[in-house]
Amino acid sequence: MPPKGKVGTKGQKQIYEENKTTLQFYTKIVLAANLIYILVRMVWMWESFNVSCWLLLSLAVLIYFCCLSFMAKMAKATFNTNGSLVDGGMDLNSESGTAEHIKDVILVTVIVQVLSIFSNYFWLFWLIVPGAAFYYLWTNILAPWFFAPAPEIDEKKQKKMERKMQRRF
């Protein structure tokens, strides 16, 4: 049975603390994935490490950097002159929103990078990200716009438009 009453809201201090731990958590995941990849792929499997591996690793690091920087900017807190918290930043742990998609991109990249230790073909799973982006774009923006029903015109306006069209021809 769902809880009764108003849903509790988070305070700015709680958002600030949770954002700090979320950023630390995702930074540790990224560092662990890179460490595993570098140790296994570059040390033990050096003979199969070629230019495409370097490029894909560089792209993964760039994606990590961009995503973590974007999350840090979203979570940037504001303090007043005496050092007390004014705004805890945007909540990175909200159920929906941009932060959730950024975290998904990080997790997909981590999974793809770790799986690519076994085969370079696992890098192709990265195509899930633009596929999901297109799906969200289609279902939330494009399809409702393309397939929206035409606005209904009442009888009076219809007759007026017909007279106007007859005058033109």
Side-chain angles (χ1 to χ4, degrees), residues 127-154:
L127 296 175
I128 291 171
V129 174
F134 179 74
Y135 173 76
Y136 289 131
L137 180 70
W138 179 259
T139 57
N140 295 328
I141 297 171
L142 296 178
W145 185 65
F146 285 138
F147 302 116
E152 292 188 25
I153 302 173
D154 62 346

mmCIF file of all heavy atoms in Angstrom, residues 127-154:
data_model
loop_
_atom_site.group_PDB
_atom_site.id
_atom_site.type_symbol
_atom_site.label_atom_id
_atom_site.label_comp_id
_atom_site.label_asym_id
_atom_site.label_seq_id
_atom_site.Cartn_x
_atom_site.Cartn_y
_atom_site.Cartn_z
ATOM 1 N N LEU A 127 26.630 1.751 -29.946
ATOM 2 C CA LEU A 127 25.563 2.267 -30.805
ATOM 3 C C LEU A 127 24.207 2.268 -30.098
ATOM 4 O O LEU A 127 23.244 2.827 -30.619
ATOM 5 C CB LEU A 127 25.501 1.467 -32.102
ATOM 6 C CG LEU A 127 26.746 1.577 -32.986
ATOM 7 C CD1 LEU A 127 26.623 0.648 -34.173
ATOM 8 C CD2 LEU A 127 26.980 3.006 -33.420
ATOM 9 N N ILE A 128 24.147 1.649 -28.933
ATOM 10 C CA ILE A 128 22.925 1.689 -28.131
ATOM 11 C C ILE A 128 22.607 3.134 -27.734
ATOM 12 O O ILE A 128 21.438 3.527 -27.708
ATOM 13 C CB ILE A 128 23.078 0.809 -26.871
ATOM 14 C CG1 ILE A 128 23.133 -0.650 -27.267
ATOM 15 C CG2 ILE A 128 21.981 1.060 -25.858
ATOM 16 C CD1 ILE A 128 23.491 -1.581 -26.124
ATOM 17 N N VAL A 129 23.615 3.929 -27.450
ATOM 18 C CA VAL A 129 23.400 5.300 -26.963
ATOM 19 C C VAL A 129 22.705 6.169 -28.009
ATOM 20 O O VAL A 129 21.659 6.765 -27.710
ATOM 21 C CB VAL A 129 24.728 5.917 -26.468
ATOM 22 C CG1 VAL A 129 24.544 7.372 -26.105
ATOM 23 C CG2 VAL A 129 25.263 5.127 -25.285
ATOM 24 N N PRO A 130 23.229 6.293 -29.248
ATOM 25 C CA PRO A 130 22.486 7.100 -30.209
ATOM 26 C C PRO A 130 21.142 6.478 -30.584
ATOM 27 O O PRO A 130 20.188 7.195 -30.884
ATOM 28 C CB PRO A 130 23.402 7.189 -31.428
ATOM 29 C CG PRO A 130 24.453 6.193 -31.233
ATOM 30 C CD PRO A 130 24.515 5.852 -29.783
ATOM 31 N N GLY A 131 21.045 5.143 -30.532
ATOM 32 C CA GLY A 131 19.755 4.496 -30.793
ATOM 33 C C GLY A 131 18.720 4.875 -29.747
ATOM 34 O O GLY A 131 17.568 5.187 -30.075
ATOM 35 N N ALA A 132 19.110 4.857 -28.492
ATOM 36 C CA ALA A 132 18.195 5.250 -27.417
ATOM 37 C C ALA A 132 17.856 6.739 -27.514
ATOM 38 O O ALA A 132 16.705 7.131 -27.290
ATOM 39 C CB ALA A 132 18.815 4.938 -26.057
ATOM 40 N N ALA A 133 18.840 7.566 -27.874
ATOM 41 C CA ALA A 133 18.582 9.003 -28.027
ATOM 42 C C ALA A 133 17.562 9.244 -29.135
ATOM 43 O O ALA A 133 16.644 10.056 -28.976
ATOM 44 C CB ALA A 133 19.878 9.747 -28.321
ATOM 45 N N PHE A 134 17.711 8.532 -30.256
ATOM 46 C CA PHE A 134 16.742 8.687 -31.338
ATOM 47 C C PHE A 134 15.361 8.189 -30.906
ATOM 48 O O PHE A 134 14.345 8.806 -31.241
ATOM 49 C CB PHE A 134 17.190 7.935 -32.596
ATOM 50 C CG PHE A 134 16.200 8.055 -33.719
ATOM 51 C CD1 PHE A 134 16.085 9.232 -34.424
ATOM 52 C CD2 PHE A 134 15.384 6.987 -34.044
ATOM 53 C CE1 PHE A 134 15.157 9.356 -35.445
ATOM 54 C CE2 PHE A 134 14.452 7.096 -35.060
ATOM 55 C CZ PHE A 134 14.345 8.282 -35.769
ATOM 56 N N TYR A 135 15.304 7.099 -30.158
ATOM 57 C CA TYR A 135 14.027 6.574 -29.678
ATOM 58 C C TYR A 135 13.318 7.601 -28.795
ATOM 59 O O TYR A 135 12.122 7.855 -28.960
ATOM 60 C CB TYR A 135 14.241 5.268 -28.913
ATOM 61 C CG TYR A 135 12.999 4.756 -28.243
ATOM 62 C CD1 TYR A 135 11.993 4.141 -28.970
ATOM 63 C CD2 TYR A 135 12.821 4.904 -26.867
ATOM 64 C CE1 TYR A 135 10.836 3.681 -28.360
ATOM 65 C CE2 TYR A 135 11.674 4.453 -26.244
ATOM 66 C CZ TYR A 135 10.689 3.844 -26.993
ATOM 67 O OH TYR A 135 9.548 3.407 -26.378
ATOM 68 N N TYR A 136 14.049 8.200 -27.840
ATOM 69 C CA TYR A 136 13.443 9.215 -26.969
ATOM 70 C C TYR A 136 13.014 10.437 -27.768
ATOM 71 O O TYR A 136 11.956 11.012 -27.521
ATOM 72 C CB TYR A 136 14.409 9.635 -25.868
ATOM 73 C CG TYR A 136 14.628 8.579 -24.812
ATOM 74 C CD1 TYR A 136 15.903 8.229 -24.404
ATOM 75 C CD2 TYR A 136 13.562 7.917 -24.224
ATOM 76 C CE1 TYR A 136 16.115 7.256 -23.448
ATOM 77 C CE2 TYR A 136 13.761 6.950 -23.277
ATOM 78 C CZ TYR A 136 15.039 6.621 -22.882
ATOM 79 O OH TYR A 136 15.241 5.658 -21.941
ATOM 80 N N LEU A 137 13.826 10.832 -28.724
ATOM 81 C CA LEU A 137 13.486 11.970 -29.575
ATOM 82 C C LEU A 137 12.228 11.676 -30.384
ATOM 83 O O LEU A 137 11.334 12.523 -30.489
ATOM 84 C CB LEU A 137 14.659 12.289 -30.507
ATOM 85 C CG LEU A 137 14.483 13.456 -31.457
ATOM 86 C CD1 LEU A 137 14.476 14.761 -30.664
ATOM 87 C CD2 LEU A 137 15.596 13.476 -32.484
ATOM 88 N N TRP A 138 12.137 10.475 -30.936
ATOM 89 C CA TRP A 138 10.982 10.113 -31.738
ATOM 90 C C TRP A 138 9.717 10.026 -30.895
ATOM 91 O O TRP A 138 8.690 10.588 -31.241
ATOM 92 C CB TRP A 138 11.223 8.792 -32.462
ATOM 93 C CG TRP A 138 10.043 8.372 -33.282
ATOM 94 C CD1 TRP A 138 9.105 7.438 -32.961
ATOM 95 C CD2 TRP A 138 9.667 8.901 -34.548
ATOM 96 N NE1 TRP A 138 8.171 7.342 -33.945
ATOM 97 C CE2 TRP A 138 8.485 8.240 -34.944
ATOM 98 C CE3 TRP A 138 10.201 9.876 -35.382
ATOM 99 C CZ2 TRP A 138 7.838 8.516 -36.127
ATOM 100 C CZ3 TRP A 138 9.550 10.135 -36.575
ATOM 101 C CH2 TRP A 138 8.385 9.464 -36.932
ATOM 102 N N THR A 139 9.778 9.315 -29.769
ATOM 103 C CA THR A 139 8.563 9.088 -28.980
ATOM 104 C C THR A 139 8.091 10.336 -28.241
ATOM 105 O O THR A 139 6.899 10.504 -28.028
ATOM 106 C CB THR A 139 8.757 7.958 -27.965
ATOM 107 O OG1 THR A 139 9.865 8.265 -27.123
ATOM 108 C CG2 THR A 139 8.964 6.632 -28.651
ATOM 109 N N ASN A 140 9.014 11.200 -27.845
ATOM 110 C CA ASN A 140 8.619 12.354 -27.042
ATOM 111 C C ASN A 140 8.430 13.643 -27.836
ATOM 112 O O ASN A 140 7.701 14.528 -27.393
ATOM 113 C CB ASN A 140 9.640 12.599 -25.935
ATOM 114 C CG ASN A 140 9.676 11.457 -24.956
ATOM 115 O OD1 ASN A 140 8.669 10.820 -24.712
ATOM 116 N ND2 ASN A 140 10.844 11.177 -24.418
ATOM 117 N N ILE A 141 9.091 13.769 -28.992
ATOM 118 C CA ILE A 141 9.026 15.038 -29.716
ATOM 119 C C ILE A 141 8.508 14.863 -31.142
ATOM 120 O O ILE A 141 7.514 15.478 -31.531
ATOM 121 C CB ILE A 141 10.412 15.720 -29.728
ATOM 122 C CG1 ILE A 141 10.829 16.052 -28.302
ATOM 123 C CG2 ILE A 141 10.388 16.984 -30.583
ATOM 124 C CD1 ILE A 141 12.235 16.525 -28.158
ATOM 125 N N LEU A 142 9.178 14.028 -31.931
ATOM 126 C CA LEU A 142 8.867 13.972 -33.359
ATOM 127 C C LEU A 142 7.522 13.317 -33.668
ATOM 128 O O LEU A 142 6.714 13.878 -34.410
ATOM 129 C CB LEU A 142 9.996 13.261 -34.110
ATOM 130 C CG LEU A 142 11.347 13.966 -34.080
ATOM 131 C CD1 LEU A 142 12.384 13.137 -34.808
ATOM 132 C CD2 LEU A 142 11.241 15.344 -34.685
ATOM 133 N N ALA A 143 7.280 12.124 -33.153
ATOM 134 C CA ALA A 143 6.043 11.408 -33.469
ATOM 135 C C ALA A 143 4.801 12.175 -33.021
ATOM 136 O O ALA A 143 3.849 12.299 -33.796
ATOM 137 C CB ALA A 143 6.065 10.005 -32.872
ATOM 138 N N PRO A 144 4.754 12.717 -31.807
ATOM 139 C CA PRO A 144 3.560 13.500 -31.443
ATOM 140 C C PRO A 144 3.359 14.725 -32.341
ATOM 141 O O PRO A 144 2.236 15.123 -32.611
ATOM 142 C CB PRO A 144 3.829 13.929 -29.998
ATOM 143 C CG PRO A 144 4.799 12.957 -29.483
ATOM 144 C CD PRO A 144 5.631 12.541 -30.656
ATOM 145 N N TRP A 145 4.445 15.291 -32.815
ATOM 146 C CA TRP A 145 4.331 16.464 -33.681
ATOM 147 C C TRP A 145 3.869 16.077 -35.076
ATOM 148 O O TRP A 145 3.010 16.734 -35.665
ATOM 149 C CB TRP A 145 5.683 17.181 -33.724
ATOM 150 C CG TRP A 145 5.673 18.454 -34.476
ATOM 151 C CD1 TRP A 145 4.994 19.591 -34.159
ATOM 152 C CD2 TRP A 145 6.397 18.735 -35.676
ATOM 153 N NE1 TRP A 145 5.247 20.560 -35.084
ATOM 154 C CE2 TRP A 145 6.113 20.063 -36.031
ATOM 155 C CE3 TRP A 145 7.255 17.995 -36.468
ATOM 156 C CZ2 TRP A 145 6.651 20.659 -37.145
ATOM 157 C CZ3 TRP A 145 7.795 18.600 -37.582
ATOM 158 C CH2 TRP A 145 7.494 19.911 -37.912
ATOM 159 N N PHE A 146 4.445 14.981 -35.630
ATOM 160 C CA PHE A 146 4.063 14.537 -36.970
ATOM 161 C C PHE A 146 2.631 14.006 -37.030
ATOM 162 O O PHE A 146 1.910 14.249 -37.988
ATOM 163 C CB PHE A 146 4.993 13.428 -37.477
ATOM 164 C CG PHE A 146 6.338 13.924 -37.912
ATOM 165 C CD1 PHE A 146 7.482 13.221 -37.575
ATOM 166 C CD2 PHE A 146 6.474 15.074 -38.661
ATOM 167 C CE1 PHE A 146 8.732 13.656 -37.987
ATOM 168 C CE2 PHE A 146 7.715 15.521 -39.073
ATOM 169 C CZ PHE A 146 8.845 14.811 -38.736
ATOM 170 N N PHE A 147 2.240 13.263 -36.026
ATOM 171 C CA PHE A 147 0.961 12.577 -36.062
ATOM 172 C C PHE A 147 -0.119 13.245 -35.213
ATOM 173 O O PHE A 147 -1.115 12.612 -34.882
ATOM 174 C CB PHE A 147 1.138 11.115 -35.641
ATOM 175 C CG PHE A 147 2.120 10.382 -36.504
ATOM 176 C CD1 PHE A 147 3.301 9.885 -35.978
ATOM 177 C CD2 PHE A 147 1.881 10.211 -37.847
ATOM 178 C CE1 PHE A 147 4.213 9.221 -36.774
ATOM 179 C CE2 PHE A 147 2.788 9.549 -38.657
ATOM 180 C CZ PHE A 147 3.953 9.051 -38.121
ATOM 181 N N ALA A 148 0.062 14.499 -34.897
ATOM 182 C CA ALA A 148 -0.947 15.228 -34.127
ATOM 183 C C ALA A 148 -2.184 15.438 -35.001
ATOM 184 O O ALA A 148 -2.074 15.725 -36.198
ATOM 185 C CB ALA A 148 -0.397 16.574 -33.671
ATOM 186 N N PRO A 149 -3.361 15.290 -34.429
ATOM 187 C CA PRO A 149 -4.565 15.508 -35.232
ATOM 188 C C PRO A 149 -4.678 16.985 -35.626
ATOM 189 O O PRO A 149 -4.243 17.870 -34.897
ATOM 190 C CB PRO A 149 -5.706 15.092 -34.303
ATOM 191 C CG PRO A 149 -5.135 15.150 -32.936
ATOM 192 C CD PRO A 149 -3.661 14.910 -33.067
ATOM 193 N N ALA A 150 -5.256 17.194 -36.794
ATOM 194 C CA ALA A 150 -5.433 18.565 -37.275
ATOM 195 C C ALA A 150 -6.410 19.285 -36.361
ATOM 196 O O ALA A 150 -7.349 18.680 -35.829
ATOM 197 C CB ALA A 150 -5.955 18.553 -38.701
ATOM 198 N N PRO A 151 -6.195 20.568 -36.169
ATOM 199 C CA PRO A 151 -7.123 21.299 -35.306
ATOM 200 C C PRO A 151 -8.520 21.338 -35.940
ATOM 201 O O PRO A 151 -8.655 21.508 -37.147
ATOM 202 C CB PRO A 151 -6.514 22.697 -35.215
ATOM 203 C CG PRO A 151 -5.581 22.802 -36.362
ATOM 204 C CD PRO A 151 -5.142 21.418 -36.693
ATOM 205 N N GLU A 152 -9.512 21.141 -35.119
ATOM 206 C CA GLU A 152 -10.882 21.116 -35.627
ATOM 207 C C GLU A 152 -11.377 22.543 -35.838
ATOM 208 O O GLU A 152 -11.166 23.413 -34.999
ATOM 209 C CB GLU A 152 -11.788 20.369 -34.651
ATOM 210 C CG GLU A 152 -11.476 18.893 -34.588
ATOM 211 C CD GLU A 152 -12.501 18.141 -33.783
ATOM 212 O OE1 GLU A 152 -13.651 18.621 -33.688
ATOM 213 O OE2 GLU A 152 -12.147 17.081 -33.266
ATOM 214 N N ILE A 153 -12.047 22.727 -36.971
ATOM 215 C CA ILE A 153 -12.570 24.046 -37.315
ATOM 216 C C ILE A 153 -14.089 23.962 -37.250
ATOM 217 O O ILE A 153 -14.702 23.061 -37.827
ATOM 218 C CB ILE A 153 -12.110 24.456 -38.734
ATOM 219 C CG1 ILE A 153 -10.584 24.461 -38.797
ATOM 220 C CG2 ILE A 153 -12.686 25.799 -39.112
ATOM 221 C CD1 ILE A 153 -10.024 24.680 -40.179
ATOM 222 N N ASP A 154 -14.688 24.912 -36.564
ATOM 223 C CA ASP A 154 -16.143 24.879 -36.455
ATOM 224 C C ASP A 154 -16.786 25.269 -37.796
ATOM 225 O O ASP A 154 -16.130 25.724 -38.720
ATOM 226 C CB ASP A 154 -16.633 25.764 -35.313
ATOM 227 C CG ASP A 154 -16.271 27.220 -35.508
ATOM 228 O OD1 ASP A 154 -15.433 27.497 -36.365
ATOM 229 O OD2 ASP A 154 -16.845 28.071 -34.795
#
